[in-house]
Amino acid sequence: MELAYYSDYAVRLVNTEEPARNKDSLTSVEAVRELFGANGQAARRATDADVTRFRSVRARLRSVFEAADGGDETLAVDLLNSLLLEFPVSPQISGHDIRDEDGKPDWHMHLADHPSNATAGYAAIAAMGLAFHLTSYGVDRLGLCEAAPCRNAYLDTSTNRSRRYCSDRCATRANVAAYRARKRLETERAADTGRNAETAQASTPRTDR
């Protein structure tokens, strides 16, 4: 498993909450376990106590995205470094029983599960994955959706650093809203032009012939 994969752990956790909509799906141990995806062994370690702990890590990860989205690279790095220090990773070389054409293991770097508790393991993986993405692609590749009130986190992997929305749905919604706003502005300008023309015509002195 490549380290880049782990960056999605951070995005998944941050996006369990939509503050502007007052929505929070991280309300049970089952919700915590779902965040681990296929990593069933780590998910089984989750307990009710991890709900609160996960929410705390989530707030800190969102702060990283907020700093990056606001252009404060130093703050984003400092916040992420504090997570890395608190939740250190345990790297291992793994093959996962995957073999190449010669029957040899497909060796790659893997982050081992933290044995203490589910939160520590998830936080370590999420922070390391996000750090890998940040150092490989740049702080400006961490963003928050511009389609208000969404503000979901995303990782920009576009070739021209052009991503602004967390999903195609939000991009479409924002484009439709922008189009409607332009049409309203055009209509208002046309109405103002018509009213100004009428006012000017009414104020023009009549010349008796």
Side-chain angles (χ1 to χ4, degrees):
M1 188 177 294
E2 297 181 358
L3 293 180
Y5 165 83
Y6 292 114
S7 58
D8 189 53
Y9 274 58
V11 173
R12 290 207 303 267
L13 177 54
V14 170
N15 291 346
T16 59
E17 181 184 32
E18 296 181 69
R21 291 173 172 155
N22 198 28
K23 292 183 178 180
D24 188 348
S25 62
L26 191 58
T27 58
S28 65
V29 66
E30 288 75 19
V32 169
R33 289 170 179 161
E34 287 178 3
L35 288 169
F36 285 92
N39 194 343
Q41 181 178 355
R44 284 191 292 273
R45 288 203 301 269
T47 66
D48 290 332
D50 284 299
V51 176
T52 300
R53 291 195 290 253
F54 261 68
R55 286 179 171 178
S56 176
V57 173
R58 179 180 64 187
R60 295 170 67 182
L61 286 171
R62 175 170 282 278
S63 294
V64 175
F65 278 92
E66 289 174 343
D69 189 67
D72 195 336
E73 295 191 6
T74 301
L75 177 58
V77 170
D78 287 345
L79 291 170
L80 189 50
N81 272 336
S82 69
L83 283 165
L84 291 169
L85 287 172
E86 184 174 345
F87 302 104
V89 298
S90 301
Q92 290 182 343
I93 299 174
S94 177
H96 284 307
D97 298 325
I98 300 175
R99 304 284 172 168
D100 59 19
E101 295 179 355
D102 298 326
K104 297 180 180 179
D106 181 17
W107 299 116
H108 56 272
M109 291 301 298
H110 176 81
L111 301 183
D113 294 331
H114 200 290
S116 60
N117 60 69
T119 302
Y122 194 99
I125 290 173
M128 186 61 197
L130 199 57
F132 177 83
H133 192 94
L134 184 152
T135 54
S136 297
Y137 304 107
V139 179
D140 59 338
R141 293 294 188 131
L142 279 59
L144 293 173
C145 186
E146 292 185 12
C150 178
R151 304 300 283 169
N152 271 350
Y154 66 82
L155 298 172
D156 185 1
T157 56
S158 63
T159 56
N160 58 354
R161 300 173 183 265
S162 60
R163 185 169 179 179
R164 298 165 55 198
Y165 307 104
C166 69
S167 64
D168 291 339
R169 179 181 180 183
C170 277
T172 299
R173 183 162 55 85
N175 289 334
V176 169
Y179 172 78
R180 290 175 176 172
R182 287 195 301 270
K183 296 301 291 184
R184 284 196 300 270
L185 182 60
E186 291 173 2
T187 301
E188 291 171 359
R189 285 176 175 173
D192 288 342
T193 300
R195 285 193 293 269
N196 291 338
E198 292 175 358
T199 300
Q201 183 177 6
S203 62
T204 301
R206 296 179 60 86
T207 302
D208 294 329
R209 296 184 178 178

